């Protein structure tokens, strides 16, 4: 089955923003009059979000358009006692023939996720191990994959640096050649933010249904992302400009890419 990974760059991430990494219980269930993001539209894709009665995601549908074809990727979260326990994936618009995509291991008190398992045809092929600080923010994500001997190995990890406003301001990527070698920094990503709330911060589980990236985790909306490679002097900067509604949530975001200044605008609508 062909599926589309949601692990893409910050251009998409900036349009379907952050969620705090503390709990999957809705801590703001009484505040139901605030906007809930319902649709994200650009020339290349449409993302639709459906919620259950607890205002947690019940289905996330992405319609991707390329020159050759249009295809659909659906993520279906599965909850137990209010906690996200797994996600299913389907390439059919009605969600039929869904398969297990990921599952989650929690700490004993169910306050945090410790591992995310990823599946292919029902078998675990990789997992992420998560580390948190005392305030509940993720500080490291270790990637494990199967080697030729069917054993899990860790060759890469990411380190997150937070500011006092609850935003990830730096993401460092590390890698090593062998399991016994030392990790070396391969690239750094620097972020700046506006002062407005991310529309998805209070939506339970979004970053685990999609991917764990700085703009999914932070309180505010990304204004700039700078990528710095340790292999040379190359620096790439993407800027984001927003329009907001009366509730001060973004209704559109325009990404301005690098030195050539090419632009792409994505529009957001709410329930």
């Amino acid at each position: 089955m062909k599926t589309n990974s949601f692990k893409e760059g910050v251009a998409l991430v900036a349009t379907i923003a952050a969620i705090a990494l503390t709990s999957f219980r809705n801590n703001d269930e009484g505040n139901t009059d605030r906007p809930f993001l319902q649709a994200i539209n650009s020339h290349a894709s449409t993302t639709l979000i459906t919620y259950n009665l607890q205002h947690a995601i019940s289905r996330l549908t992405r319609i991707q358009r390329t020159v050759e074809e249009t295809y659909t990727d659906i993520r279906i979260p599965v909850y137990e006692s209010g906690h996200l326990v797994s996600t299913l994936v389907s390439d059919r618009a009605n969600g039929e023939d869904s398969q297990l995509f990921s599952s989650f291991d929690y700490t004993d008190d169910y306050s945090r996720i410790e591992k995310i398992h990823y599946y292919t045809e029902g078998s675990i092929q990789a997992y992420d191990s998560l580390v948190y600080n005392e305030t509940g923010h993720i500080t490291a994500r270790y990637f494990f994959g199967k080697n030729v001997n069917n054993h899990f190995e860790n060759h890469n990890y990411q380190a997150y640096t937070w500011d006092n406003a609850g935003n990830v301001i730096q993401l460092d990527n590390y890698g090593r050649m062998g399991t016994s070698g030392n990790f070396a920094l391969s690239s750094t990503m620097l972020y700046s933010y506006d002062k407005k709330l991310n529309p998805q911060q209070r939506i339970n589980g979004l970053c685990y249904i999609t991917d764990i990236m700085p703009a999914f985790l932070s309180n505010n909306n990304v204004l700039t992302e700078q990528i710095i490679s340790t292999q040379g002097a190359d620096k790439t900067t993407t800027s984001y400009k927003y329009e907001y509604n009366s509730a001060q949530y973004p209704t559109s975001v325009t990404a301005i890419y690098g030195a050539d200044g090419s632009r792409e605008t994505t529009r957001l609508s709410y329930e």
Side-chain angles (χ1 to χ4, degrees):
M1 177 180 64
K2 177 175 61 180
T3 62
N4 177 46
S5 173
F6 278 74
K7 299 184 176 182
E8 299 178 350
V10 73
L12 171 63
V13 175
T15 68
I16 42 179
I19 182 168
L21 286 165
T22 54
S23 172
F24 284 103
R25 293 189 181 278
N26 192 337
N27 294 322
D28 194 37
E29 293 179 357
N31 185 12
T32 58
D33 58 344
R34 62 184 172 83
F36 286 86
L37 186 59
Q38 185 177 46
I40 304 157
N41 289 288
S42 71
H43 77 279
S45 67
T46 296
T47 300
L48 304 173
I49 304 173
T50 305
Y51 302 92
N52 60 24
L53 295 178
Q54 289 72 45
H55 294 98
I57 296 174
S58 61
R59 178 175 296 196
L60 193 150
T61 302
R62 186 167 183 225
I63 303 166
Q64 182 72 32
R65 296 176 287 273
T66 67
V67 174
E68 295 82 12
E69 62 180 333
T70 297
Y71 57 91
T72 300
D73 182 277
I74 295 177
R75 298 289 169 89
I76 304 171
V78 178
Y79 302 92
E80 291 181 5
S81 302
H83 299 285
L84 179 67
V85 294
S86 62
T87 62
L88 308 177
V89 64
S90 173
D91 60 3
R92 298 195 177 188
N94 57 11
E96 286 185 350
D97 298 330
S98 60
Q99 298 181 14
L100 182 62
F101 177 76
S102 63
S103 65
F104 307 93
D105 290 348
Y106 285 81
T107 57
D108 290 340
D109 61 359
Y110 274 85
S111 63
R112 300 171 187 171
I113 285 177
E114 291 183 314
K115 288 184 179 180
I116 307 172
H117 304 278
Y118 300 100
Y119 294 79
T120 300
E121 296 181 350
S123 177
I124 298 174
Q125 297 299 314
Y127 70 88
D128 297 344
S129 180
L130 306 179
V131 179
Y132 300 83
N133 61 19
E134 65 279 359
T135 63
H137 288 132
I138 189 170
T139 57
R141 178 188 185 187
Y142 291 87
F143 303 94
F144 289 81
K146 280 188 177 180
N147 61 20
V148 294
N149 298 317
N150 217 33
H151 297 147
F152 288 102
E153 291 183 348
N154 167 232
H155 295 280
N156 305 91
Y157 81 93
Q158 295 176 325
Y160 300 76
T161 301
W162 297 76
D163 65 12
N164 292 332
N167 297 316
V168 178
I169 57 173
Q170 182 169 325
L171 173 63
D172 294 312
N173 295 290
Y174 292 85
R176 61 180 175 180
M177 295 301 295
T179 55
S180 59
N182 294 323
F183 283 100
L185 180 67
S186 59
S187 65
T188 293
M189 304 171 74
L190 303 176
Y191 296 88
S192 67
Y193 297 83
D194 66 8
K195 302 298 184 181
K196 306 290 197 302
L197 290 176
N198 262 319
Q200 296 313 289
Q201 179 159 3
R202 302 173 192 174
I203 294 180
N204 296 334
L206 177 60
C207 68
Y208 297 111
I209 298 168
T210 53
D211 190 23
I212 300 171
M213 302 177 81
F216 282 104
L217 308 177
S218 302
N219 285 336
N220 305 121
N221 303 295
V222 172
L223 288 177
T224 60
E225 178 200 49
Q226 184 179 68
I227 303 174
I228 304 171
S229 173
T230 59
Q231 304 304 314
D234 292 342
K235 295 182 180 180
T236 302
T237 301
T238 302
S239 302
Y240 301 91
K241 294 185 180 297
Y242 297 86
E243 295 180 358
Y244 305 92
N245 59 19
S246 59
Q248 296 303 295
Y249 285 105
T251 56
S252 73
V253 52
T254 299
I256 306 168
Y257 299 105
D260 65 358
S262 61
R263 297 178 176 229
E264 181 178 7
T265 297
T266 300
R267 303 196 180 278
L268 298 83
S269 59
Y270 299 83
E271 288 186 343

